[in-house]
Amino acid sequence: MTALAALATFGSTGAVGPLRCHASLTDVAAKLGPPWDIGRVSKRRRWPHLFSYGDADLCVCRCRLITSICVQTWRDTIGLPHPRSGAINSHPAHLTHRQTTSALEAAGCRWQPVTLGQPSGQTALRTEPTGVTFTFRTEGTPEPLLESAGIWTGTHRCVPPAPDAPDDGFGVTEPH
């Protein structure tokens, strides 16, 4: 699967293989192997915490549910996890707005431009109904280039692991 096809699937389903908002990191790690530990969101607290599989960055709540996914596409290559093996497949990057929208349309994924709150040098589009946002750099390039694609969840019911639960390898929970 090409990066464009994988990103079009992300736009239409909100998932990169088994990576999806509200999925359990423990369940994902059982399928794909342990993620790379990027670090804490806050210096004072372990959770929420950032992990990744290649260029798919995850923000994970203390209850181990994925609350956001951001695929970084600004590098020379895009590393995405294989849906079953977890191996990181490398894809050429530098995807244009035209290539991205064509791939979304070929996948039957509707999208709308994001017009509010866009800083200078940037444009974005959001897919329907999943709400994946594709952000493009417009400065210094003849055609807008894809910088990232991401989705996040506003809220979820957080039930942290029980204090006597076995260590899942992702760290200990913290009190509120």
Side-chain angles (χ1 to χ4, degrees):
M1 178 181 287
T2 68
L4 278 170
L7 291 169
T9 298
F10 182 37
S12 61
T13 65
V16 178
L19 307 177
R20 66 177 53 249
C21 287
H22 301 291
S24 160
L25 181 62
T26 305
D27 292 346
V28 169
K31 292 177 188 167
L32 300 181
W36 182 55
D37 185 342
I38 296 174
R40 298 171 183 223
V41 172
S42 166
K43 290 181 181 182
R44 292 188 171 151
R45 300 182 64 134
R46 172 131 179 99
W47 300 100
H49 201 84
L50 300 173
F51 295 94
S52 78
Y53 286 94
D55 289 314
D57 297 342
L58 314 173
C59 186
V60 178
C61 180
R62 68 189 175 108
C63 67
R64 308 311 194 263
L65 293 183
I66 297 170
T67 58
S68 73
I69 302 168
C70 182
V71 178
Q72 304 295 330
T73 60
W74 54 268
R75 299 176 177 99
D76 289 333
T77 60
I78 304 167
L80 296 173
H82 185 275
R84 288 177 293 284
S85 72
I88 303 300
N89 295 323
S90 187
H91 305 276
H94 305 291
L95 306 173
T96 66
H97 188 276
R98 186 174 324 162
Q99 290 171 316
T100 304
T101 56
S102 293
L104 289 169
E105 289 165 2
C109 183
R110 293 185 325 263
W111 57 272
Q112 294 292 323
V114 176
T115 56
L116 293 176
Q118 292 302 303
S120 175
Q122 176 178 302
T123 189
L125 64 88
R126 186 170 296 122
T127 63
E128 298 173 0
T130 61
V132 174
T133 300
F134 290 77
T135 304
F136 300 85
R137 175 174 42 98
T138 59
E139 290 181 344
T141 180
E143 186 174 354
L145 292 177
L146 185 62
E147 292 284 299
S148 66
I151 188 170
W152 54 92
T153 181
T155 60
H156 71 279
R157 183 183 145 113
C158 183
V159 180
D164 60 346
D167 183 7
D168 61 10
F170 301 119
V172 297
T173 59
E174 298 172 321
H176 278 293

